[in-house]
Every structure is written in C-alpha cells, then in structure tokens.
C-alpha cells in the first residue's frame, strides 16, 4: 500500500509507470472525466468503450471491450461506477477481468465509492476475485468521498505484484509527491476505525434523497 495525495494522481502515476507514450488506455464511458484527462495529458491514446444502457441500467459491453482491448495496455475501471451508479457484480468483474488477462491488459481499479453501497448490493473488490486478477491490477481507494474529507488530499494505491509496485513507487517519487498531508493520515485512521455510525447515517440519508 502506497499513500498518495489523491485518486487522480494515483491513476496518473500508474499510467506513466506502466504504459508508454502512444499506448492505448481504455475507459468505459460515461465515466468520471479525469480518466480521460490523465490518459490524454500523459500522451497515451484514449480508447473509449461506451457502457450499454439496457432497460434503464448500465452494463459493460464485453463484445466491444474484447474487440478493442488489443489496442490497449491498460484499462481504467470504476468500481462502483461513477456516474452510472452501478455496483459491478462478481460475475461482471470476472468476465471483464478474463478478457483483460487474455489480451495482457493491466487493470487500474478506482474503487473510491466502495463504501457508498446501499443494502441489497454488494461491493466486490476487483482484485479479490483471483490471484491472477490481483497480480494484474492495482486498486485506488480513499476515505474522501464517504467521509467527506477530500480537502485533506489522502488516498492509497494497493499493488500486489512487487515489480509493478516498484515501478509505481518510482513514478510517485520522480514527481516528488510521495508525502501527504499528515492531517489526512489521522483523519483516515479515525474514519476507518470510528466512522461506522457516520457512514450508516450517511447511507440512510442518501437513500432517502
């Protein structure tokens, strides 16, 4: 686990560490706009695969993903998905992950909204589904959304494979952003250890909205 000053910097570190200029990076649109930004500003080729809207519910377009992944070295996954509101199921993630393995495409999972899941849905970390998926992915998380501390600029990138972790660590240190706000560290500890009541009330409030 590396601490970083935010999810978006974490995505940029990973893109720069694990791909080369001109390489394709896939995103599934509509999606959080910095996915586009970190790809283009890094000199990579943006490959957009739209989600399918089926009976008012967004789904992954596996056929299109499979067809276009050979153009890519990386896929940026949003799990749960922003703004589609989808909490991807284990089956959906597994199907996508198998396609990525087949094409040797690395997955960066932005899972910042993992706490904001209503009863009846289950958040499944992509990397939890298999050893192969864990080695072929990195996961970005942060307490900033669920616990309203985005201003403290704190997040984590979790990387299982030692070589991949070393490459991302080098990208972080090259840009001299390896230090984070110490208040963010304390707030993260407080949120994760003592924030259950806050989170329960928040989810109830949001569901009411």
């Amino acid at each position: 686990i590396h601490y970083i000053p935010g999810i978006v910097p974490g995505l940029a570190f990973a893109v720069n560490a694990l791909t080369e200029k001109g390489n394709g990076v896939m995103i599934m649109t509509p999606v959080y706009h910095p996915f586009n930004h970190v790809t283009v500003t890094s000199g990579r080729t943006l490959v957009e695969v739209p989600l399918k809207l089926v009976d008012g519910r967004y789904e992954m377009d596996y056929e299109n993903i499979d067809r276009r992944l050979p153009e890519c070295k990386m896929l940026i996954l949003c799990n749960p998905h922003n703004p589609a509101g989808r909490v991807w199921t284990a089956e959906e993630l597994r199907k996508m992950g198998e396609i990525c393995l087949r094409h040797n495409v690395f997955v960066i999972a932005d899972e910042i909204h993992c706490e904001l899941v209503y009863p009846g849905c289950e958040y499944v970390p992509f990397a939890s589904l298999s050893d192969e998926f864990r080695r072929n992915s990195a996961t970005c998380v942060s307490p900033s959304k669920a616990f309203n501390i985005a201003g403290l600029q704190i997040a984590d990138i979790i990387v299982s494979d030692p070589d991949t972790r070393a490459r991302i660590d080098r990208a972080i240190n090259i840009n001299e952003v390896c230090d984070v706000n110490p208040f963010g560290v304390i707030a993260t500890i407080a949120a994760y250890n003592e924030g259950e009541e806050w989170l329960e009330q928040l989810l109830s409030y949001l569901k009411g909205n």
Side-chain angles (χ1 to χ4, degrees), residues 58-113:
Y58 280 104
E59 297 180 357
M60 295 187 197
D61 187 344
Y62 300 107
E63 183 177 345
N64 204 9
I65 292 171
D66 195 17
R67 182 176 62 85
R68 301 208 61 189
L69 264 186
E71 306 171 37
C72 303
K73 291 293 184 181
M74 178 177 288
L75 182 149
I76 305 178
L77 169 69
C78 198
N79 175 43
H81 194 92
N82 171 26
R86 276 302 318 280
V87 182
W88 302 120
T89 65
E91 181 181 0
E92 289 173 310
L93 292 171
R94 192 173 286 111
K95 190 169 182 178
M96 184 214 76
E98 292 292 347
I99 297 172
C100 290
L101 287 177
R102 188 161 64 248
H103 293 290
N104 194 30
V105 170
F106 194 85
V107 177
I108 300 294
D110 173 2
E111 303 194 351
I112 194 172
H113 294 98

Side-chain angles (χ1 to χ4, degrees), residues 104-151:
N104 194 30
V105 170
F106 194 85
V107 177
I108 300 294
D110 173 2
E111 303 194 351
I112 194 172
H113 294 98
C114 63
E115 296 97 350
L116 299 177
V117 175
Y118 297 149
C121 294
E122 180 185 5
Y123 155 66
V124 179
F126 172 74
S128 72
L129 288 170
S130 76
D131 290 340
E132 287 181 303
F133 289 173
R134 185 166 62 251
R135 286 191 295 269
N136 193 52
S137 69
T139 302
C140 296
V141 293
S142 172
S144 62
K145 298 293 186 185
F147 298 97
N148 197 29
I149 57 171

Side-chain angles (χ1 to χ4, degrees), residues 120-195:
C121 294
E122 180 185 5
Y123 155 66
V124 179
F126 172 74
S128 72
L129 288 170
S130 76
D131 290 340
E132 287 181 303
F133 289 173
R134 185 166 62 251
R135 286 191 295 269
N136 193 52
S137 69
T139 302
C140 296
V141 293
S142 172
S144 62
K145 298 293 186 185
F147 298 97
N148 197 29
I149 57 171
L152 296 181
Q153 296 184 305
I154 187 76
D156 299 291
I157 184 166
I158 305 163
V159 192
S160 175
D161 179 72
D163 292 338
T164 304
R165 189 165 62 248
R167 292 168 68 183
I168 291 175
D169 180 58
R170 185 168 181 270
I172 294 170
N173 282 276
I174 283 174
N175 290 283
E176 296 297 342
V177 289
C178 51
D179 293 322
V180 294
N181 184 344
F183 293 106
V185 176
I186 299 301
T188 298
I189 294 169
Y192 288 157
N193 287 340
E194 303 173 38

Side-chain angles (χ1 to χ4, degrees), residues 19-73:
T19 67
E20 303 290 337
K21 288 188 182 297
N23 286 167
V25 176
M26 180 176 288
I27 63 174
M28 288 181 274
T29 56
V31 75
Y32 185 48
H33 67 89
F35 287 16
N36 178 318
H37 187 71
V38 300
T39 300
V40 173
T41 57
S42 297
R44 276 59 175 173
T45 301
L46 185 69
V47 177
E48 296 185 48
V49 173
L51 297 170
K52 295 192 300 184
L53 191 59
V54 180
D55 296 328
R57 184 175 189 260
Y58 280 104
E59 297 180 357
M60 295 187 197
D61 187 344
Y62 300 107
E63 183 177 345
N64 204 9
I65 292 171
D66 195 17
R67 182 176 62 85
R68 301 208 61 189
L69 264 186
E71 306 171 37
C72 303
K73 291 293 184 181

